[in-house]
Amino acid sequence: MDNTDPAALTLRRAGPADWTALAGTDPIAAAGDEARRTRIRRWCEAGLVTLAAAARGPVGYAVLEYTFFEQGFVTLLSVAPDARRQGVATRLLTAVEAECATPKLFTSTNVSNQPMQRLLLKAGWQPAGLVHGLDEGDPELFYLCPSANLSRSSTLRTFPDTVIGKESRIRTPLGTL
């Protein structure tokens, strides 16, 4: 495991020239998945990627889109395997929360992705729903960012917080959410 100091990370908008380096930090793209590599290239070209860089270069990235009911959606958050569990994902998530331009910000993860679930819960995100059928045998959990985490500079943030009732509790290997 590399020692990546999250305080020493540089976070910036990735440009078209960054996609190959980012693909090298992404385990799926690095394994040769051409569809993932193409998506990373397109996200970089569209200016949708926040890149986290250490002294050695990129160590992770997050993609923020506005295609989920015209609200912010963290489409992907990926950290290089040797930089995980060192605060990189937390810094990326915080950066995306700060840059979100809509009153709500969502993300999703598979039930099997316990590290992402722990990250979101630690950051105060609330479960917002469960969808079966996207990945066979591995339902997708949706989360909503607390409005307090979002930048206060947006004039678009006029909606009240979403209330999650008992009827929407979700059971996962980590417990009931």
Side-chain angles (χ1 to χ4, degrees):
M1 178 182 288
D2 184 26
N3 287 327
T4 302
D5 178 7
L9 288 174
T10 301
L11 289 122
R12 64 173 176 82
R13 176 81 48 227
D18 293 312
W19 83 268
T20 53
L22 287 178
T25 70
D26 183 307
I28 295 171
D33 186 305
E34 285 304 316
R36 177 70 144 248
R37 293 174 63 79
T38 298
R39 282 193 299 274
I40 294 169
R41 181 180 50 79
R42 288 182 182 156
W43 288 326
C44 287
E45 289 171 349
L48 301 173
V49 178
T50 299
L51 177 152
R56 67 183 173 133
V59 292
Y61 67 98
V63 179
L64 175 60
E65 297 184 280
Y66 297 94
T67 55
F68 186 71
F69 299 97
E70 298 182 5
Q71 298 298 316
F73 193 86
V74 182
T75 304
L76 185 65
L77 193 154
S78 179
V79 176
D82 63 352
R84 291 181 180 167
R85 310 275 318 146
Q86 298 177 51
V88 176
T90 300
R91 286 283 311 275
L92 283 165
L93 189 62
T94 301
V96 170
E97 291 171 350
E99 77 177 82
C100 183
T102 58
K104 295 181 183 177
L105 176 61
F106 294 88
T107 195
S108 69
T109 188
N110 290 99
V111 167
S112 64
N113 190 344
Q114 293 182 17
M116 183 62 169
Q117 291 176 52
R118 283 191 292 271
L119 170 70
L120 294 168
L121 292 172
K122 185 177 177 184
W125 289 55
Q126 296 294 313
L130 180 69
V131 174
H132 292 271
L134 295 174
D135 292 326
E136 190 62 37
D138 197 3
E140 194 80 7
L141 289 167
F142 285 77
Y143 287 86
L144 173 64
C145 179
S147 60
N149 289 20
L150 297 172
S151 171
R152 296 292 181 194
S153 64
S154 174
T155 57
L156 298 173
R157 290 197 180 78
T158 57
F159 298 116
D161 294 340
T162 299
V163 177
I164 306 274
K166 290 181 182 176
E167 67 280 355
S168 65
R169 298 291 185 209
I170 301 167
R171 286 196 172 91
T172 73
L174 293 177
T176 301
L177 305 176

